[in-house]
Amino acid sequence: MKGRIFSIEEFSIFDGDGIRTTVFLKGCPLRCAWCHSPEGQDFVQEYLRSPNGCLSCGACLAAGNGKLSAASIDACPRGLIRAAGEDIEAAALVGRLSRHFDTLNRAGGGITFSGGEPLAQPDFLYECLSLLRGKTNRAIQTSGYAMQDTFTRIVGECDLILFDLKLMDPITHKRYTGVTNEPILTNYRAAAESGVKLLTRVPLIPGVTDTEENIEGICRFMRECGVHYAELLPYNRMAGSKYPLAGKVYAPPFDAEQTPTARQEIFAAHGIETKIL
């Protein structure tokens, strides 16, 4: 089974237990207003151009007949063009990852599949996880947006689930992510009941997810599901830095200069331990 990835990051300490290698799969059904991986949103292969040092010579566009292409990479005299999207067989990817199994396992880590949204390539993801069974710890970092049978199938091959909870109100969720949260909440409940280790993550977006009302809702929902620990992810002010590379504009519909509020006291009042990453 062949899939499409856009990055592999080695020796990560923020994508699960221990030291990990994180594989980023291309494509995501959500369009979160704060997304800091625009190159992971679309399934198609893209070409990114760094503006730093660009001569504006037009060689990259000329090589690609008016657009960036694979030919643009060699045509750029400054080497500023790179591809975002590599097609690879699951077995070949696992073979590439295997170089660091000993190091990762000694450090209590493993492999994490992120995105984009890894569940958007379910068959490829499932094969990768299956091939990794017994070799190292296997994790997915997910929004939880998928059909329930797809989610259940994937979770059965995981040792760890990193699950984002963003917004509890369905209308607000759709406004800021483009999709309803109904399947997300259903799959979160399934994850909590699965017996697989579940790590809840809450992105703190100023004026959006960090409101008292939303945090209260998240806390009540987590308690209903029997979950008592969450990691809080402060808004990354560098979120928009990659958009010009992808020829996109970052214009979040919230005050990106505002400092988000962690609201740890609300979590504590509900008996939920938190950690700010």
Side-chain angles (χ1 to χ4, degrees):
M1 169 64 64
K2 184 174 287 188
R4 180 166 287 175
I5 65 175
F6 68 92
S7 182
I8 298 177
E9 295 186 7
E10 297 176 344
F11 304 108
S12 169
I13 58 172
F14 297 107
D15 297 325
D17 299 327
I19 297 174
R20 311 188 74 85
T21 295
T22 303
V23 182
F24 294 85
L25 276 63
K26 210 158 179 347
C28 182
L30 279 67
R31 287 296 180 269
C32 299
W34 52 87
C35 178
H36 63 277
S37 297
E39 75 276 34
Q41 293 176 353
D42 298 322
F43 289 92
V44 298
Q45 188 176 58
E46 298 172 274
Y47 296 90
L48 309 183
R49 175 173 54 194
S50 173
N52 299 323
C54 180
L55 300 174
S56 300
C57 64
C60 58
L61 297 178
N65 294 319
K67 62 181 182 179
L68 297 180
S69 71
S72 303
I73 296 175
D74 293 329
C76 178
R78 291 289 182 87
L80 301 178
I81 314 296
R82 64 179 177 88
E86 175 190 354
D87 292 336
I88 187 170
E89 293 284 347
L93 175 59
V94 171
R96 187 187 301 183
L97 299 173
S98 67
R99 297 176 300 162
H100 299 301
F101 282 169
D102 288 345
T103 300
L104 297 176
N105 292 342
R106 284 198 300 270
I111 305 295
T112 299
F113 291 92
S114 186
E117 170 51 65
L119 295 175
Q121 297 188 52
D123 294 335
F124 174 69
L125 176 61
Y126 181 83
E127 183 169 346
C128 290
L129 292 168
S130 298
L131 291 171
L132 288 167
R133 188 190 308 138
K135 297 180 174 65
T136 192
N137 184 272
R138 304 161 298 166
I140 59 170
Q141 185 166 312
T142 179
S143 69
Y145 189 82
M147 298 292 290
Q148 188 172 5
D149 57 347
T150 296
F151 184 80
T152 301
R153 178 174 177 245
I154 295 298
V155 163
E157 284 293 341
C158 290
D159 303 300
L160 171 65
I161 309 164
L162 288 78
F163 199 121
D164 280 7
L165 280 183
K166 300 177 177 71
L167 290 155
M168 296 304 297
D169 179 71
I171 296 175
T172 308
H173 193 282
K174 189 165 187 178
R175 175 187 175 191
Y176 286 103
T177 72
V179 301
T180 178
N181 63 355
E182 183 178 353
I184 292 171
L185 301 183
T186 296
N187 287 333
Y188 184 90
R189 290 188 185 94
E193 296 170 358
S194 69
V196 178
K197 184 176 180 179
L198 174 62
L199 179 55
T200 305
R201 290 187 155 182
V202 180
L204 299 174
I205 311 304
V208 181
T209 67
D210 72 340
T211 66
E212 184 174 351
E213 180 182 9
N214 186 56
I215 297 300
E216 282 280 1
I218 288 175
C219 289
R220 288 193 298 269
F221 179 65
M222 288 180 63
R223 288 199 61 182
E224 288 174 13
C225 297
V227 181
H228 303 284
Y229 175 76
E231 292 184 344
L232 311 181
L233 310 175
Y235 171 68
N236 180 2
R237 286 195 171 87
M238 297 299 291
S241 62
K242 292 183 182 178
Y243 281 73
L245 278 69
K248 299 178 180 180
V249 176
Y250 184 65
F254 56 87
D255 185 357
E257 297 303 315
Q258 183 180 347
T259 300
T261 305
R263 310 277 184 185
Q264 285 182 289
E265 71 282 358
I266 299 178
F267 286 97
H270 284 270
I272 297 173
E273 182 184 353
T274 55
K275 176 182 178 182
I276 300 176
L277 295 186

